């Protein structure tokens, strides 16, 4: 297994988005939540019909790349490689992959301390249960969502599906606190379940629910979360504002449950 950074013009990842990836936080030469990232890669490999991954070789290369990094972003991207006829995948594909180590975004620390302002995205997610939950390379919806967010006065957007159900932010899961209970949207038909949410669910009682905009408007607190930003308070959603000190107290309570 080579550390391949460049893909052929005929690579199926480039042509069809035929691949998957994961993005992890690196702290002091250690990959946070690494077992869950591996589990995500294996889930994608199995559900998309890729050959079995050589996880030992992959882990060895990954740790070689992050050696000496104090705080960074690790991105592992895997495609089905070249071959096949049109959409038809080759019977015995040879996957290509990339391992990238990127700077940690400076604004994430500010978000964690001061919260973010959000509005409703004008772009809605389609429904496809076969791909729901998988972090595939088909991310054009997210590209359009980010483009939409750049035209709005906000730090991030809340995204619904075409039926109006709340799903996620542009790149993170949603946690809702209401009446001392913790909720997260149902992702059975669209969206991605991040590894931070998976980790949190293993230690905190979180109810998966069909959440609409009215539910958000009645919430005591709203957060977004992923493996890079961890748990970030929302201080404004549309015209609804939340007290940052109260949200930080809630955050401590949630993370305290998971300690």
């Amino acid at each position: 297994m080579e550390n391949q950074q460049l893909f052929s013009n005929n690579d199926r990842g480039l042509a069809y988005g035929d691949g998957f990836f994961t993005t992890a936080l690196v702290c002091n030469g250690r990959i946070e939540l690494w077992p869950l990232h591996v589990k995500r890669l294996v889930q994608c490999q199995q559900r998309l019909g890729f050959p079995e991954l050589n996880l030992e070789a992959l882990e060895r290369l990954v740790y070689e790349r992050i050696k000496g990094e104090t705080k960074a972003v690790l991105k592992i991207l895997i495609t089905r490689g070249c071959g096949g006829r049109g959409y038809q995948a080759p019977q015995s594909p040879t996957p290509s992959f990339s391992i990238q180590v990127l700077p940690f975004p400076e604004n994430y620390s500010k978000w964690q301390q001061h919260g973010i302002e959000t509005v409703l995205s004008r772009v809605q997610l389609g429904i496809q249960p076969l791909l729901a939950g998988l972090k595939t390379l088909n991310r054009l919806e997210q590209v359009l969502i980010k483009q939409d967010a750049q035209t709005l006065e906000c730090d991030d957007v809340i995204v619904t599906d075409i039926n109006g159900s709340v799903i996620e932010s542009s790149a993170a899961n949603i946690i809702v606190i209401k009446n001392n209970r913790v909720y997260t949207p149902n992702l059975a038909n669209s969206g991605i379940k991040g590894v931070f949410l998976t980790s949190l669910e293993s230690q905190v009682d979180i109810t998966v629910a069909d959440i609409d905009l009215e539910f958000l408007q009645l919430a005591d607190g709203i957060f977004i979360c992923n493996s890079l930003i961890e748990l970030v308070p929302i201080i404004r959603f549309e015209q609804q504002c939340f007290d940052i000190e109260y949200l930080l107290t809630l955050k401590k309570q949630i993370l305290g449950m998971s300690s």
Side-chain angles (χ1 to χ4, degrees):
M1 182 179 285
E2 298 177 354
N3 184 5
Q4 183 174 348
Q5 295 292 348
L6 300 177
F7 297 102
S8 164
N9 289 336
N10 298 319
D11 194 279
R12 297 181 61 84
L14 178 64
Y16 310 118
D18 190 0
F20 51 91
F21 70 104
T22 195
T23 308
L25 175 63
V26 176
C27 288
N28 298 318
R30 178 175 176 270
I31 306 168
E32 298 293 324
L33 304 177
W34 175 241
L36 293 179
H37 285 286
V38 171
K39 185 176 180 180
R40 159 184 276 174
L41 292 174
V42 171
Q43 179 191 36
C44 290
Q45 169 252 308
Q46 292 176 343
R47 285 179 57 184
L48 295 177
F50 274 53
E52 185 175 349
L53 301 175
N54 186 336
L55 296 175
E56 290 184 4
L58 177 62
E59 184 170 0
R60 184 170 61 251
L61 283 172
V62 164
Y63 272 97
E64 287 176 0
R65 289 298 307 277
I66 67 169
K67 190 180 300 181
E69 295 287 345
T70 55
K71 193 164 189 179
V73 176
L74 168 70
K75 183 173 183 179
I76 303 171
L77 187 152
I78 301 173
T79 80
R80 206 183 298 264
C82 299
R85 184 172 180 177
Y87 294 135
Q88 179 65 50
Q91 290 187 350
S92 301
T94 303
S96 302
F97 73 99
S98 167
I99 299 171
Q100 297 174 283
V101 179
L102 307 168
F104 183 80
E106 295 181 2
N107 62 312
Y108 285 175
S109 297
K110 180 181 177 182
W111 282 15
Q112 292 170 359
Q113 296 174 8
H114 304 288
I116 60 171
E117 297 189 359
T118 62
V119 297
L120 182 65
S121 175
R122 293 168 294 195
V123 179
Q124 294 180 304
L125 294 170
I127 292 175
Q128 177 47 275
L130 288 175
L131 296 177
L134 299 184
K135 202 162 186 178
T136 72
L137 300 185
N138 294 279
R139 300 264 67 87
L140 280 179
E141 287 180 319
Q142 281 67 36
V143 170
L144 294 175
I145 288 167
K146 283 291 190 182
Q147 288 180 345
D148 181 52
Q150 289 177 348
T151 69
L152 302 169
E153 294 185 5
C154 63
D155 298 302
D156 200 356
V157 289
I158 299 298
V159 185
T160 63
D161 65 18
I162 58 174
N163 292 328
S165 296
V166 173
I167 301 297
E168 57 195 9
S169 75
S170 67
N173 292 122
I174 294 175
I175 295 290
V176 182
I177 312 298
K178 184 178 179 183
N179 297 330
N180 294 319
R181 293 188 63 183
V182 185
Y183 297 88
T184 195
N186 184 351
L187 305 179
N189 294 316
S190 60
I192 298 173
K193 185 177 181 181
V195 298
F196 186 89
L197 175 59
T198 300
S199 176
L200 203 61
E201 279 185 326
S202 69
Q203 303 167 78
V204 177
D205 184 13
I206 301 179
T207 301
V208 176
D210 294 325
I211 294 175
D212 56 19
L213 295 176
E214 182 180 359
F215 191 96
L216 288 189
Q217 292 167 355
L218 298 174
D220 299 319
I222 310 171
F223 299 80
I224 62 171
C225 65
N226 66 29
S227 60
L228 300 182
I229 63 174
E230 298 182 335
L231 195 61
V232 168
I234 290 179
I235 58 174
R236 177 176 70 87
F237 172 56
E238 292 287 348
Q239 304 305 315
Q240 182 182 11
C241 295
F242 299 90
D243 178 71
I244 183 60
E245 296 303 325
Y246 176 67
L247 292 175
L248 291 176
T249 299
L250 285 180
K251 178 179 176 177
K252 289 181 180 179
Q253 292 174 354
I254 296 170
L255 295 180
M257 297 175 192
S258 63
S259 59

